[in-house]
Amino acid sequence: MADIIQLLPDNIANQIAAGEVIQRPASAVKELLENAVDAGATRIQLIVADAGKSLIQVIDNGKGMSETDARMSFERHATSKIKVIDDLFHIKTMGFRGEALASIAAVAQVEIKTRRTEDELGTFLEIENSTVKVQEPCATPEGTSISMKNLFFNVPARRNFLKTNAAELRHIIDEFIRVALAFPQIFFSLTSNGQQVFHLEAGNAKQRVLQVLGNQYAAKLVQVKEDTDYMNIYGFAGKPETARKTRGEQYFFVNNRFIKSAYLNHAVMSAYQEMIAKDSFPLYVLFIDLDPSQIDINVHPTKQEIKFEDEKIIYAFVQAAIKHALAQFSVAPSLDFSLNADIQQLESVSKPFSDDKQQSASSSSLFKSFTQKNQAHFIEPTNKSELKNWKDFFTPATTSIAPLKDFAAVNGDGLLEYERRETITQAASGQLHQPEKRETALAPDALLMQIQQTYILAPGENGFLVIHQQLAHERILYERFSVAAHGKKMASQHNLFPATLELNAADSALLLDLLPDLAALGFLIEPFGNNTFVIQGTPADMLQGNEKNAIELLIEQFKHFSSDIKFTRREKLVRCMARQQSIKAGQHLTQKEMHTLTEELFLCQTHNIALNGSPTYVAFKEDYLDRMFGK
């Protein structure tokens, strides 16, 4: 019987290795950028086309390579960093395994131009499927320019697994940011399809953090700096108000290498304990410098996971450094932890305090009582006595609350303010969705009661219901938006003065990807270049003046859903919209609004379950109450 075990050909072995190192265009970007940093470059340019599927090019002004080194660099396990085994435990550079370029050449068409300072001519190489096609001298600036074209051209199955261009570009931006943050002294630029996404001038660490995350964080960061004999930790942590629902802006660097560590992240979270909501994540960019012999970075193909010799010491240092920074800048004592995060989204908080509102407030008698002299015992005269009808307060009401349909017929006020406009608009365009009417336990003349400004107490024919107003409204809006997202578009209202929205590069790429789906929900948003968008219109039921905050919050909530694979992109967007625009717990409702909410809830196809799986209401039957009192 013939032998069946044989050695793999080099090109196949390289493709298998590429499966570990080059998983998507962003993986190649990371390797090429790190090589440029290791070459001592002070200017690094990244150019991509079609989110890296057609082209990834990195141009640097580093020390370049000789002809022999350029050729050898594409051989598997070729490296200049390791000569003896002991070198592996003293690595201070980014790349060292000698697999990156070999892996790239196995799955793409590669061209490289490189020249050292002492050489008059550089070297040009063209490699395809691990085979050198062209090798010749060329005229080129000092440094290296490497182009990687048609990724996975010879592995079409791998190419089919790539996501949309917008999604792949977000991954490229993530890898670019991680390298750029680690080396603020180097100029970085990123150009995508001929449009510049990043232009990061060399500077200090804080300047680079603000260049990447946005200048809006200038006054929201506290400096972290602790130096010891064992390790140094420095960087920046966000004040508690910067906490988000996603982990997006969290960066750990060990010896300038970006790492992912749930253990160290827990140390940071414990330092923020009771300062932020339990489901929120703080912002931080932290750098740890320690002896390379204390860590093992050779435990992961992409080197994003490392092992510490003594994790507990690192944990304690990180936790103490964050706590000290927050206390030093008087962040902790000034916080009100009892404040509900939803309050921040209310109109009274999010809307600007305009000049006319300020003038109106300053002219009121209440304002004058605090600003003018001799006002402590002053009572403003009035012809209307507010106490003359005090007995009416104790007189039972003789008229019952009219049913919802009577309100709508008489004065059209049966809807919440922002829902009324949408109903009128949709009725005119024939888009109003009328689910099948079903019986409810709510009596038509019921007097509803709001408890803790969160729950609606609704008496029924055989007991009563306790309805959670936010969960109920989320269900109502979800079904309404679902119809719009999968059928006819929602009505939009054009803004008289279009608002301009500026985002960071990662959020800009995400919003570009969401524009078609947002259009179906009534948002009219147009790209304006350089990570800027113009909001031309919003859904008919959205209050004017709050468009920018609404879209920023929508993006943040969408990223919160991004880790959940059971929802499609449009489904995530619909759920985010419903959660964002729903009335929140703590908001006072009138009788009309409570009736509207209750009636519309029972018109929903799934009226008893909220989006998160919780019940929208709990029914208490009469026999249950009897049993509670032993009858």
Side-chain angles (χ1 to χ4, degrees):
M1 188 172 180
D3 298 331
I4 59 175
I5 297 178
Q6 57 186 356
L7 292 176
L8 286 172
D10 286 345
N11 62 326
I12 296 179
N14 286 343
Q15 284 191 13
I16 293 174
E20 286 186 340
V21 182
I22 310 300
Q23 301 167 355
R24 59 187 346 139
S27 307
V29 166
K30 172 183 180 295
E31 300 292 346
L32 296 180
L33 288 177
E34 289 182 347
N35 283 347
V37 170
D38 287 343
T42 58
R43 292 182 62 86
I44 299 175
Q45 298 170 262
L46 170 62
I47 302 170
V48 299
D50 293 332
K53 298 174 185 176
S54 300
L55 171 69
I56 298 174
Q57 183 177 10
V58 173
I59 305 171
D60 69 67
N61 64 346
K63 59 186 178 183
M65 291 182 285
S66 66
E67 183 178 4
T68 303
D69 286 346
R71 177 64 187 84
M72 281 292 295
S73 65
F74 287 93
E75 294 296 331
R76 214 174 155 209
H77 302 147
T79 179
S80 63
K81 318 292 175 54
I82 300 176
K83 292 182 174 59
V84 295
I85 189 63
D86 193 49
D87 293 340
L88 188 61
F89 302 99
H90 296 85
I91 292 292
K92 292 186 177 181
T93 54
M94 297 295 102
F96 61 89
R97 285 160 52 121
E99 291 185 349
L101 292 182
S103 299
I104 289 173
V107 292
Q109 298 164 331
V110 180
E111 293 181 1
I112 182 171
K113 294 179 180 180
T114 182
R115 181 175 73 86
R116 297 181 300 181
T117 306
E118 60 269 26
D119 297 334
E120 291 186 5
L121 287 177
T123 302
F124 172 76
L125 284 174
E126 184 179 326
I127 304 175
E128 181 179 309
N129 199 15
S130 299
T131 304
V132 177
K133 299 291 185 183
V134 178
Q135 180 174 345
E136 60 188 19
C138 69
T140 184
E142 177 186 350
T144 302
S145 170
I146 181 168
S147 300
M148 170 182 162
K149 302 177 180 177
N150 301 321
L151 180 64
F152 300 138
F153 78 101
N154 54 350
V155 196
R158 294 283 301 279
R159 192 177 181 92
N160 292 337
F161 277 96
L162 296 179
K163 306 298 183 183
T164 63
N165 281 4
E168 293 296 342
L169 181 60
R170 291 202 303 274
H171 287 288
I172 290 175
I173 289 173
D174 287 341
E175 294 293 352
F176 177 86
I177 287 175
R178 291 166 182 172
V179 178
L181 283 175
F183 300 96
Q185 72 277 11
I186 301 176
F187 166 87
F188 285 91
S189 70
L190 168 58
T191 304
S192 173
N193 294 334
Q195 182 177 356
Q196 192 168 65
V197 181
F198 280 105
H199 181 93
L200 307 177
E201 293 290 348
N204 58 37
K206 185 168 186 179
Q207 288 171 336
R208 180 56 55 87
V209 169
L210 296 180
Q211 285 174 337
V212 171
L213 302 184
N215 288 324
Q216 68 269 23
Y217 290 108
K220 299 180 181 179
L221 299 176
V222 296
Q223 186 174 12
V224 180
K225 186 170 179 61
E226 299 288 343
D227 296 338
T228 67
D229 293 336
Y230 182 78
M231 61 171 282
N232 298 332
I233 178 171
Y234 59 96
F236 302 92
K239 294 180 180 179
E241 62 263 29
T242 64
R244 301 287 189 91
K245 296 294 184 182
T246 55
R247 297 179 183 268
E249 294 165 339
Q250 296 184 335
Y251 300 93
F252 258 119
F253 299 89
V254 174
N255 293 349
N256 287 332
R257 183 190 304 278
F258 172 80
I259 67 162
K260 295 179 179 178
S261 173
Y263 188 69
L264 293 186
N265 180 71
H266 187 273
V268 177
M269 294 294 291
S270 63
Y272 277 90
Q273 193 172 10
E274 296 183 354
M275 293 187 188
I276 60 176
K278 290 184 178 180
D279 59 346
S280 297
F281 302 95
L283 175 156
Y284 58 80
V285 181
L286 297 175
F287 299 85
I288 297 175
D289 290 342
L290 75 165
D291 189 338
S293 62
Q294 301 293 327
I295 58 176
D296 183 3
I297 55 179
N298 192 32
V299 297
H300 192 271
T302 62
K303 303 181 286 293
Q304 288 189 0
E305 296 178 11
I306 67 175
K307 285 185 177 179
F308 295 94
E309 188 174 282
D310 194 333
E311 283 189 327
K312 292 183 179 180
I313 292 180
I314 307 293
Y315 183 100
F317 271 126
V318 170
Q319 184 186 43
I322 298 293
K323 281 188 173 182
H324 182 235
L326 294 176
Q328 184 179 1
F329 289 90
S330 300
V331 172
S334 63
L335 294 175
D336 179 9
F337 302 126
S338 63
L339 182 63
N340 191 328
D342 292 329
I343 294 177
Q344 302 294 341
Q345 309 302 331
L346 296 181
E347 180 183 339
S348 57
V349 177
S350 58
K351 272 201 168 185
F353 192 38
S354 58
D355 292 340
D356 55 341
K357 291 182 179 178
Q358 187 173 355
Q359 185 177 1
S360 174
S362 60
S363 61
S364 66
S365 58
L366 180 62
F367 182 86
K368 292 177 181 178
S369 66
F370 283 94
T371 56
Q372 295 182 1
K373 295 181 179 180
N374 305 319
Q375 298 289 315
H377 303 286
F378 178 75
I379 299 177
E380 188 174 346
T382 177
N383 294 327
K384 298 180 180 179
S385 174
E386 297 177 356
L387 300 177
K388 65 179 182 180
N389 296 321
W390 65 272
K391 291 183 179 180
D392 295 342
F393 181 76
F394 298 96
T395 305
T398 56
T399 58
S400 60
I401 302 298
L404 171 67
K405 59 184 180 180
D406 294 338
F407 277 114
V410 174
N411 53 17
D413 260 339
L415 297 177
L416 300 179
E417 176 61 30
Y418 55 82
E419 292 176 330
R420 185 186 309 123
R421 292 194 301 272
E422 183 195 18
T423 304
I424 295 172
T425 306
Q426 290 186 339
S429 59
Q431 297 179 18
L432 190 59
H433 176 62
Q434 291 287 356
E436 181 182 352
K437 176 70 176 177
R438 66 178 74 189
E439 292 296 325
T440 74
L442 179 64
D445 59 346
L447 180 64
L448 306 184
M449 180 184 298
Q450 190 180 25
I451 304 174
Q452 297 178 346
Q453 294 188 338
T454 301
Y455 303 97
I456 299 174
L457 190 63
E461 297 178 358
N462 186 28
F464 63 91
L465 306 177
V466 179
I467 304 170
H468 193 290
Q469 64 188 42
Q470 180 174 347
L471 297 181
H473 201 210
E474 282 182 14
R475 167 55 63 181
I476 295 167
L477 294 177
Y478 170 76
E479 297 204 359
R480 182 181 302 163
F481 293 146
S482 293
V483 172
H486 300 93
K488 294 182 179 180
K489 294 184 178 180
M490 290 189 67
S492 301
Q493 56 182 355
H494 286 261
N495 297 339
L496 185 60
F497 300 102
T500 303
L501 177 66
E502 293 185 15
L503 300 172
N504 60 45
D507 288 349
S508 176
L510 175 59
L511 184 56
L512 277 173
D513 197 25
L514 295 177
L515 287 183
D517 298 313
L518 286 171
L521 296 174
F523 286 97
L524 303 178
I525 305 173
E526 298 177 358
F528 199 58
N530 198 22
N531 301 329
T532 305
F533 298 83
V534 177
I535 307 172
Q536 299 284 6
T538 53
D541 61 338
M542 181 174 288
L543 293 176
Q544 294 295 298
N546 201 28
E547 303 91 346
K548 293 170 62 175
N549 182 50
I551 294 173
E552 289 173 350
L553 181 61
L554 188 63
I555 293 174
E556 187 63 31
Q557 289 177 333
F558 186 86
K559 289 190 291 186
H560 180 52
F561 270 117
S562 61
S563 59
D564 201 331
I565 61 175
K566 67 182 180 181
F567 297 131
T568 63
R569 183 178 64 181
R570 187 162 289 192
E571 174 72 7
K572 293 175 187 175
L573 199 57
V574 168
R575 287 173 175 262
C576 290
M577 284 280 291
R579 178 172 297 179
Q580 180 198 52
Q581 296 194 29
S582 63
I583 57 175
K584 301 299 186 288
Q587 182 173 338
H588 174 72
L589 299 180
T590 65
Q591 281 289 327
K592 297 176 185 178
E593 290 173 333
M594 287 190 286
H595 264 276
T596 302
L597 191 68
T598 306
E599 290 288 342
E600 289 196 350
L601 173 63
F602 284 96
L603 287 174
C604 292
Q605 297 293 330
T606 307
H607 63 284
N608 56 337
I609 302 297
L611 302 187
N612 61 2
S614 302
T616 55
Y617 66 90
V618 177
F620 291 86
K621 300 296 183 180
E622 185 178 358
D623 56 349
Y624 174 77
L625 296 178
D626 290 342
R627 289 199 306 271
M628 286 181 63
F629 289 96
K631 292 186 177 182

